[in-house]
Amino acid sequence: QVHVEESGGGLVQAGGSLRLSCTASGHAWNTYNRGWFRDAPGKEREFLAAIRWADGWTYYGDSVKGRFTISRDNVNDRIYLQMNNLKPDDTAVYFCAALRPEGWSPEFWGQGTQVTVSS
């Protein structure tokens, strides 16, 4: 069992920036890759970005390329999602997930953090 926890959501104005943070702990937590997803009102869960824990290799969904950046910190114990030029359509609950090392499918989820972008 891997415990995932994200934080950093809040209320921002359109054009602003926000950085989300995610930690993982528990059994074999550092064997999992990690990713960011979001649930917007009336939409299915959307994949945003993923990072391979071992070496920091990243992959992005087409909808956020150029605005969002996934990264690790200097000691490789947490990941971030830097979100720039936020738009009202970015309003959603954002989730971090532990992804299976093979296949990259999400296995453990955080509780979510709310991001609200006002116009």
Side-chain angles (χ1 to χ4, degrees):
Q1 184 80 11
V2 174
H3 176 73
V4 180
E5 183 174 349
E6 62 273 272
S7 62
L11 175 64
V12 298
Q13 292 185 333
S17 298
L18 202 62
R19 189 179 72 168
L20 307 182
S21 178
C22 175
T23 61
S25 61
H27 183 256
W29 66 269
N30 60 350
T31 68
Y32 287 82
N33 302 315
R34 280 192 248 179
W36 289 99
F37 301 76
R38 68 185 179 188
D39 287 350
K43 299 181 180 180
E44 295 185 349
R45 184 160 294 179
E46 179 185 15
F47 167 77
L48 302 175
I51 187 166
R52 187 161 58 201
W53 188 254
D55 61 3
W57 179 88
T58 58
Y59 180 79
Y60 293 92
D62 290 338
S63 64
V64 300
K65 287 182 178 178
R67 294 194 300 126
F68 292 7
T69 302
I70 188 171
S71 64
R72 302 176 299 174
D73 70 4
N74 290 335
V75 296
N76 296 327
D77 61 353
R78 69 178 63 217
I79 64 165
Y80 302 96
L81 184 68
Q82 179 67 45
M83 304 184 293
N84 296 325
N85 192 26
L86 285 163
K87 306 173 182 179
D89 286 348
D90 293 319
T91 295
V93 178
Y94 285 71
F95 295 89
C96 183
L99 312 177
R100 294 179 63 86
E102 298 182 6
W104 294 67
S105 60
E107 187 169 347
F108 303 102
W109 296 90
Q111 294 300 306
T113 184
Q114 176 71 47
V115 172
T116 302
V117 184
S118 62
S119 59

